[in-house]
Structures are given as C-alpha cells and as structure tokens.
Amino acid sequence: MQLDKFTDYALRVLMTLAVRAPDRVAASEIATRFGVSEAHLSKVATKLAHTGFALSERGRGGGLTLARPADQIRIGEVVRAMKRSDPVVECLGTGSCLILPACGLRLPLAQAQEAFFASLDQYTLADVTRSRHALSELLNG
C-alpha cells in the first residue's frame, strides 16, 4: 500500500506538533520547513482538526497543537482517517468491476489493506517521535 502525499503531510504535521508540544506551530511554518505549498498544508491541518488529531487556533499567536497526548494517537488511526476513502483497489470502494461477482481477489486485498492498518495501529505518535531531540534539531534547521 502506498500513502498519498496528503497522508504523508498529515503524519509530518503531527510529528512536528509532537516534537514542539506544548507550543503552537503555525501551518505556514510547517509548510516552509517541509517545502510544501502553504495552501495544501492548510487543507491537511483542517482535516487533522476535523478528525480530532489537532487543535487549530486562528489569529495572532494562533497555530496548531495536538488535540490529545502523542501516546494516545495511533498511527493507524491517523492513516485510516486520512486515507479511508482511498481503497487499495476500486472494488473495495464504491466502484465496480466487470468480474466482481466471480472475483476471488476482493477478500485477500481487503484483508491486506486491514493488515496494513493493523500494523500501523501498533505504533503511537509518541513511538515515532522518540528521537525528539534529533527531530527538533532537524525541524528547527
């Protein structure tokens, strides 16, 4: 399974917030640091806020913070929230296929997709940011 850029950026944003916690971090600052369009990162931040992973505060002194502690955010949960509408193959989504009624691939692919998420569920945001000092140095340039 391949993660799309949106999900990749969502994970990067959350990692940045975990490293910088409890400080607020502007989406524009994260976008600049990763060389990503500020408009695109703003959409990622909005989705993270709507799905309960981040808190967003507008205005002067505003920015993003984690909505809950990093050890309570599972990586699989984040990827599911960002990618759930993007199945591995069309037949797992809303589309259809000519051979669907007789195809034996649907179940194995659905199981593989769930195994991917289950594997990621074993890790929290805290687990993947254990090198907090090294990450902080890289993120602060």
Side-chain angles (χ1 to χ4, degrees), residues 23-47:
D23 298 340
R24 284 192 190 98
V25 185
S28 60
E29 181 183 339
I30 298 170
T32 300
R33 196 75 205 124
F34 285 108
V36 175
S37 154
E38 190 174 330
H40 189 62
L41 201 84
S42 179
K43 291 177 187 175
V44 171
T46 298
K47 176 105 181 207

Side-chain angles (χ1 to χ4, degrees), residues 19-130:
V19 168
R20 300 276 299 272
D23 298 340
R24 284 192 190 98
V25 185
S28 60
E29 181 183 339
I30 298 170
T32 300
R33 196 75 205 124
F34 285 108
V36 175
S37 154
E38 190 174 330
H40 189 62
L41 201 84
S42 179
K43 291 177 187 175
V44 171
T46 298
K47 176 105 181 207
L48 287 170
H50 278 62
T51 52
F53 297 110
L55 299 174
S56 178
E57 198 167 311
R58 291 183 162 273
R60 187 176 172 97
L64 300 165
T65 56
L66 291 178
R68 52 186 193 228
D71 64 352
Q72 293 179 16
I73 298 175
R74 298 225 161 262
I75 300 302
E77 176 186 18
V78 175
V79 174
R80 274 186 190 90
M82 298 299 126
K83 202 166 170 52
R84 183 51 90 182
S85 62
D86 188 16
V88 174
V89 290
E90 184 180 347
C91 64
L92 296 180
T94 57
S96 64
C97 174
L98 174 67
I99 64 171
L100 185 60
C103 182
L105 263 179
R106 187 176 182 160
L107 179 62
L109 290 174
Q111 289 173 338
Q113 180 174 321
E114 190 48 44
F116 175 77
F117 291 131
S119 178
L120 293 175
D121 282 337
Q122 296 175 44
Y123 301 93
T124 66
L125 186 56
D127 293 330
V128 300
T129 57
R130 289 218 190 280

